[in-house]
Amino acid sequence: MWQSLVFFLATILVVSQGSELGLSHQIHLLRPKSGSGGAIVPNVSCLSWRVAVEAHNIIGWSTVPKECEGYVGHYMLGHQYRKDSKVVANEALLYAQSLNLTGDGKDVWIFDIDETTLSNLPYYAEHGFGAEPYNSTLFNAWVLKGTQPALPESLNLYKKLLSLGIKVIFITGRGESQRNVTTTNLKNVGYHTWEKLILKGSAYSGTTAVVYKSSERRNLVKKGYRIVGNIGDQWSDLLGHHVGNRTFKLPDPMYYIS
């Protein structure tokens, strides 16, 4: 009799927890798997892999481990990705609100574009959430459609920063050939004004994102701008020199750019 009661109570607990966690909204079944960098590692779950990626403990990886495709898909399309993004954006706003700004128009905030201001999740949902090797032809064709939605948390931060008198500068790894479509896309989804939109020119061909973005930030500082904040989804957006007074890392377990 008591065994039946224990089983009944346990069942209620599981159902209750599942409801609280939003498991009924799962895009993929959340099953912790093993894997890191594509190789099986005993007792390492996909959640642990994602945390290690965000902490920059796993670097230089080219694809999401195949066994973690479902987990990453559930994370990106479920509630947690948006919740994590909101925490980052809220912290950035609290910091910005604490600043004593000069009001001379030289206080700027750096935004990355892909997976920071604009989301490519519709593309990656069709390409294994990063478990497929990167295909530049397919991805560039997607970018040229100019239909990338805004990441709502970043758009809200952008608007709040402008209201505080902080100007926005975009620095993106997109090439100059994509300037027009990127400009139109940004404006269509709510990013209506900015100080500068910096795209990667041919002079940086073959260089890493860290070198390119560091150089462009240095140029801004030389022109008298003060980088009060910097937000991006890749560590390469936030490493190097002249990174700004504070940096904020948005989640992105789908790809890695050095």
Side-chain angles (χ1 to χ4, degrees):
M1 178 67 180
W2 66 269
Q3 292 95 333
S4 299
L5 178 60
V6 169
F7 178 78
F8 175 73
L9 292 175
T11 301
I12 291 178
L13 178 61
V14 169
V15 172
S16 174
Q17 288 179 334
S19 176
E20 291 176 0
L21 293 172
L23 298 185
S24 61
H25 182 66
Q26 283 186 344
I27 305 301
H28 303 275
L29 292 177
L30 184 58
R31 303 175 187 162
K33 303 283 188 177
S34 297
S36 174
I40 299 298
V41 178
N43 302 317
V44 177
S45 72
C46 291
L47 187 153
S48 299
W49 178 85
R50 177 174 65 83
V51 170
V53 163
E54 296 298 350
H56 210 220
N57 290 322
I58 296 178
I59 63 175
W61 52 280
S62 58
T63 59
V64 170
K66 190 62 181 177
E67 60 269 33
C68 293
E69 176 183 345
Y71 170 80
V72 173
H74 170 242
Y75 171 75
M76 295 301 298
L77 297 179
H79 300 296
Q80 196 60 49
Y81 170 61
R82 294 287 304 281
K83 288 180 179 179
D84 291 348
S85 298
K86 186 175 182 178
V87 167
V88 177
N90 285 348
E91 285 300 312
L93 179 58
L94 287 173
Y95 158 70
Q97 291 171 332
S98 73
L99 297 174
N100 293 317
L101 301 173
T102 62
D104 64 357
K106 290 298 184 178
D107 294 312
V108 299
W109 195 290
I110 305 295
F111 276 80
D112 173 51
I113 290 185
D114 292 296
E115 271 55 69
T116 299
T117 47
L118 299 178
S119 173
N120 296 299
L121 188 52
Y123 171 85
Y124 282 102
E126 297 294 325
H127 295 277
F129 300 101
E132 294 182 9
Y134 174 70
N135 185 310
S136 61
T137 301
L138 291 178
F139 184 75
N140 288 333
W142 154 256
V143 168
L144 290 175
K145 291 182 178 180
T147 58
Q148 290 78 50
L151 183 65
E153 292 72 25
S154 293
L155 181 57
N156 181 62
L157 174 62
Y158 159 87
K159 292 177 178 179
K160 294 292 179 61
L161 292 176
L162 292 181
S163 71
L164 292 173
I166 300 173
K167 294 184 176 180
V168 167
I169 293 178
F170 296 111
I171 303 182
T172 174
R174 294 185 178 195
E176 277 292 342
S177 63
Q178 297 171 332
R179 178 176 292 277
N180 289 341
V181 70
T182 300
T183 297
T184 301
N185 198 160
L186 286 169
K187 290 184 176 181
N188 284 345
V189 298
Y191 300 98
H192 298 303
T193 185
W194 51 80
E195 183 73 359
K196 292 179 181 293
L197 170 58
I198 300 173
L199 295 98
K200 190 174 183 179
S202 58
Y204 293 107
S205 179
T207 64
T208 66
V210 172
V211 170
Y212 154 57
K213 295 195 171 187
S214 291
S215 297
E216 290 299 328
R217 291 193 300 261
R218 180 179 59 219
N219 292 338
L220 292 172
V221 171
K222 285 182 177 180
K223 293 176 181 178
Y225 289 107
R226 290 180 295 274
I227 303 174
V228 297
N230 183 0
I231 188 167
D233 67 296
Q234 296 290 316
W235 278 103
S236 54
D237 299 325
L238 312 173
L239 296 175
H241 50 79
H242 299 89
V243 296
N245 294 350
R246 275 200 64 179
T247 62
F248 297 88
K249 169 72 169 65
L250 285 165
D252 183 0
M254 297 189 296
Y255 57 85
Y256 177 88
I257 297 176
S258 62

